[in-house]
Amino acid sequence: MNCFCLTVAGEEMFNSLSLLQCETLCLRRYLKTSHKLYSATYDPNEKTFEKLLIANRGEIACRVIKTCKKMGIKTVAIHSDVDANAVHVKMADEAVCVGPAPTSKSYLNMDAIMEVIKETRAQAVHPGYGFLSENKEFARRLAAEGVTFIGPDTHAIQAMGDKIESKLLAKNAKVNTIPGFDGVVKDADEAVRIAREIGYPVMIKASAGGGGKGMRIAWDDEETREGFRFSSQEAASSFGDDRLLIEKFIDNPRHIEIQVLADKHGNALWLNERECSIQRRNQKVVEEAPSTFLDPETRRAMGEQAVALAKAVKYSSAGTVEFLVDSSKNFYFLEMNTRLQVEHPVTECITGLDLVQEMIRVAKGYPLRHKQADIPINGWAVECRVYAEDPYKSFGLPSIGKLSQYQEPLHVPSVRVDSGIQQGSDISIYYDPMISKLITYGSNRAEALKRMEEALDNYVIRGVTHNISLLREVIIHPRFVRGDISTKFLPEVYPDGFKGHKLTDLERRELLATAASLYVAEQLRSQRFLGTPRIPIAKSKRSSWELSVHLGDGIYPVAVSKDGSSFSVEVDGMKLNVTSEWNLASPLLSVTIDGTQRTIQRLSRNASGSTSIQFLGTVYKLQILTKVAAELSKYMPEKAAEDTSSILRSPMPGAVVAVSVKPGDMVSEGQEICVIEAMKMQNSMIAAKTGK
């Protein structure tokens, strides 16, 4: 077990700790080492609420609890039965189960949550994001019970939560809007008619939606019909509201949003922008603040329109106004999220404000403490959403499993990690597959990106497939580095799908030299027992090894010789010097190759010489054999590949929500067989060939 307790207590004391004591120590460490990167002040004499319930789970519940502790507010966590041992449950002062795993029976179960509020006598509720955060009925029921909703009033939620009504209000408030149909689309036939009138391509999206759920792009009549069907089903599943709207799809735009903050006294501020253009399936992957694209005039214009919209609906809380921005810096209102946004930490980093604290203050009735002129842009912040996803499948299909090893890169300077999991946590099919939000801060963009690169290399996640390889490739890509991005960045840069990092010749030699050095270091370690040779009288003078390393489609001869604590490795006729402490028990290994420092992770190895190494973010599979073993390996039979041509296999775990055929049917290539729902997203499974 690799945990904080072992580090601070030592092995002997660690072995005497109970599981509860161990978890308590780890939790204290979690609270202390979660870097804040904002400089908000907390006045102990400013009274707000004695007890607050968080109607959410995971990282956002943990995020709210941290601020509540600083403000002296006791917290109540709710959880489903599968979340009984979740981090947010352990962090809260009280925790109550509200139902089984499905969200409709737990985190969306208003009756159960209202009952917990009564039982615990919570005075206020913070909804986080998602779930009930933009549900006007929930806010209304809280108000009826005299419980404060940490968010705007029901009128603002109703007005901005309904994309149709919000678009009309935006027009009236002189906010730039996208051309489209302002009413509710009744059925697929009407959707096709409207789409033809607007002109393809069009965006079909849930009226009550957000977070990329219930959203489809259609380029023709057939895609409009299919998009209407799936969007309405996802909208009903995610929001309990299947109404849809259609608007013109602006091709190749940027997605830039403005953070607003307003109180109950008519004051409203815009807290600068967030660049959120790196997306897959309309869901954000990398965000940053500020944007490389906006000039001060455009920033001010967007901020003033965002505030005008907030004032038009008498908004009071933190909220986000999202815009699409074209290449000429024309911007169009997309939607307003009447809640705390997932990517809010980058705004906190550059402004110094704690947005959760501000939301709580506003909900209690306090006026804002700042004027527009007080809001700075200090430095640069970047956020990567770390997901339990396979980035090689459609830029990220969900992965499930138990985190067998987990270590956040908090030793890297100016890093903040917002997470709600720990080693041993389960990533299940029931909830969003986000592991954490990894945030880095720098005095400028280059510094923030360099720290992000280092943080991703030092992030240890074992037990589930994750998207760190994709995140790292995005932030070092020349187009991203120079700020040349749009919402089409991923499909444009990776038209054939993400394939991982493509090694240069130098990087390939570095990887081969590192892998060979690791192999030799392990061979040398295996000859020793408790720091002494296994057989003291049998002194081995061996100092050189001839190896064969298989990487990708190539087999490379590698010669390794020991030179003190370093290895001299010859690859492709070139010699490289590899040095390290060679702590093979550590999940992270710092290696210096000809003066270049690399942080690598060895994920697996076996007796046949096969090993997996995470290098430059991507996992590479290698086989390292001695020269003799490599010559003999050609006699080993190869395992035949499985014939999957007649099999329809789901690319991810999920629930089958619809079956479109029956046994005996003749199906054609491309025909839908069934629909799989995973992490609230529906995916059509199609036949790969014609058959019965």
Side-chain angles (χ1 to χ4, degrees), residues 296-516:
E297 292 74 24
T298 308
R299 176 179 294 117
R300 185 181 306 108
M302 292 176 72
E304 288 174 352
Q305 286 198 18
V307 165
L309 181 59
K311 288 185 174 181
V313 292
K314 297 182 172 56
Y315 195 85
S316 60
S317 192
T320 298
V321 181
E322 300 189 349
F323 293 95
L324 290 181
V325 185
D326 67 19
S327 58
S328 300
K329 297 184 181 176
N330 299 307
F331 56 91
Y332 305 93
F333 171 70
L334 185 61
E335 64 181 356
M336 182 175 188
N337 292 314
T338 58
R339 54 168 166 81
L340 189 64
Q341 201 83 327
V342 176
E343 58 274 15
H344 74 274
V346 292
T347 297
E348 293 181 326
C349 288
I350 66 166
T351 62
L353 299 177
D354 179 339
L355 292 180
V356 174
Q357 178 196 22
E358 298 300 331
M359 292 176 77
I360 293 172
R361 292 186 71 260
V362 167
K364 187 62 179 176
Y366 289 108
L368 298 180
R369 297 177 292 179
H370 308 281
K371 302 295 183 184
Q372 189 62 57
D374 301 332
I375 306 303
I377 297 181
N378 288 329
W380 211 285
V382 180
E383 174 180 291
C384 284
R385 299 193 190 188
V386 182
Y387 282 102
E389 290 182 339
D390 184 350
Y392 300 95
K393 297 178 180 177
S394 301
F395 300 111
L397 290 185
S399 167
I400 63 170
K402 184 183 289 289
L403 289 167
S404 57
Q405 197 167 16
Y406 183 74
Q407 184 175 305
E408 296 173 348
L410 294 170
H411 59 284
V412 178
S414 298
V415 166
R416 166 177 166 178
V417 183
D418 280 17
S419 67
I421 47 93
Q422 60 186 1
Q423 189 165 297
S425 293
D426 285 307
I427 307 295
S428 74
I429 67 169
Y430 298 107
Y431 311 116
D432 189 271
M434 183 188 286
I435 293 173
S436 73
K437 300 180 311 200
L438 177 63
I439 305 103
T440 57
Y441 175 80
S443 58
N444 53 52
R445 189 170 186 258
E447 188 177 297
L449 289 176
K450 190 64 182 174
R451 283 177 177 159
M452 180 60 75
E453 189 179 337
E454 184 181 357
L456 289 168
D457 283 342
N458 282 270
Y459 208 147
V460 178
I461 304 170
R462 309 281 169 83
V464 296
T465 305
H466 54 74
N467 68 332
I468 280 179
S469 55
L470 174 63
L471 297 172
R472 195 183 189 281
E473 284 303 291
V474 168
I475 65 162
I476 66 170
H477 195 279
R479 267 190 60 180
F480 182 85
V481 172
R482 65 175 180 264
D484 177 17
I485 60 176
S486 73
T487 56
K488 284 191 170 183
F489 178 88
L490 289 179
E492 285 178 353
V493 171
Y494 309 106
D496 299 321
F498 179 66
K499 307 295 184 185
H501 181 71
K502 187 176 180 181
L503 294 169
T504 64
D505 287 342
L506 174 60
E507 290 167 348
R508 176 180 53 80
R509 287 192 291 269
E510 288 180 350
L511 175 57
L512 292 170
T514 301

Side-chain angles (χ1 to χ4, degrees), residues 93-357:
D93 297 295
E94 301 175 53
V96 183
C97 182
V98 289
T103 56
S104 60
K105 298 178 180 178
S106 52
Y107 296 103
L108 290 174
N109 187 344
M110 268 191 258
D111 291 338
I113 295 171
M114 293 302 299
E115 191 61 36
V116 173
I117 293 168
K118 291 177 184 176
E119 289 175 7
T120 59
R121 297 182 180 178
Q123 299 170 320
V125 172
H126 197 300
Y129 55 75
F131 295 135
L132 297 171
S133 61
E134 295 176 284
N135 189 300
K136 63 181 183 296
E137 175 62 18
F138 183 54
R140 186 195 63 76
R141 288 183 64 171
L142 289 174
E145 295 292 334
V147 177
T148 302
F149 179 73
I150 309 296
D153 61 26
T154 54
H155 166 69
I157 296 173
Q158 162 69 34
M160 292 294 100
D162 187 312
K163 288 185 173 62
I164 297 167
E165 186 177 349
S166 67
K167 192 172 179 181
L168 293 172
L169 282 165
K171 282 183 178 179
N172 293 335
K174 302 295 188 292
V175 177
N176 305 343
T177 58
I178 301 171
F181 179 67
D182 295 332
V184 178
V185 183
K186 297 183 179 66
D187 53 38
D189 289 336
E190 186 180 34
V192 169
R193 180 182 61 77
I194 293 167
R196 287 175 178 173
E197 290 175 0
I198 296 171
Y200 288 110
V202 296
M203 174 71 83
I204 304 167
K205 58 186 181 180
S207 175
K213 306 293 192 305
M215 192 178 291
R216 291 288 192 283
I217 299 166
W219 295 81
D220 54 39
D221 292 355
E222 184 180 346
E223 289 186 3
T224 300
R225 292 183 186 280
E226 186 178 85
F228 181 88
R229 173 190 163 203
F230 282 122
S231 292
S232 59
Q233 288 173 356
E234 286 179 6
S237 172
S238 298
F239 316 111
D241 184 345
D242 64 358
R243 292 177 305 144
L244 301 177
L245 62 87
I246 300 180
E247 61 190 18
K248 181 70 176 175
F249 175 64
I250 297 176
D251 202 12
N252 220 34
R254 284 175 179 259
H255 184 134
I256 300 177
E257 60 191 29
I258 300 291
Q259 176 71 58
V260 295
L261 182 64
D263 62 22
K264 299 178 186 296
H265 305 277
N267 304 306
L269 306 171
W270 48 275
L271 308 182
N272 303 310
E273 79 278 6
R274 293 186 288 258
E275 173 70 75
C276 307
S277 297
I278 307 298
Q279 303 180 4
R280 51 97 179 96
R281 298 193 298 278
N282 298 309
Q283 291 180 308
K284 301 159 192 169
V285 179
V286 178
E287 301 102 347
E288 59 182 312
S291 168
T292 60
F293 190 61
L294 297 191
D295 53 58
E297 292 74 24
T298 308
R299 176 179 294 117
R300 185 181 306 108
M302 292 176 72
E304 288 174 352
Q305 286 198 18
V307 165
L309 181 59
K311 288 185 174 181
V313 292
K314 297 182 172 56
Y315 195 85
S316 60
S317 192
T320 298
V321 181
E322 300 189 349
F323 293 95
L324 290 181
V325 185
D326 67 19
S327 58
S328 300
K329 297 184 181 176
N330 299 307
F331 56 91
Y332 305 93
F333 171 70
L334 185 61
E335 64 181 356
M336 182 175 188
N337 292 314
T338 58
R339 54 168 166 81
L340 189 64
Q341 201 83 327
V342 176
E343 58 274 15
H344 74 274
V346 292
T347 297
E348 293 181 326
C349 288
I350 66 166
T351 62
L353 299 177
D354 179 339
L355 292 180
V356 174
Q357 178 196 22

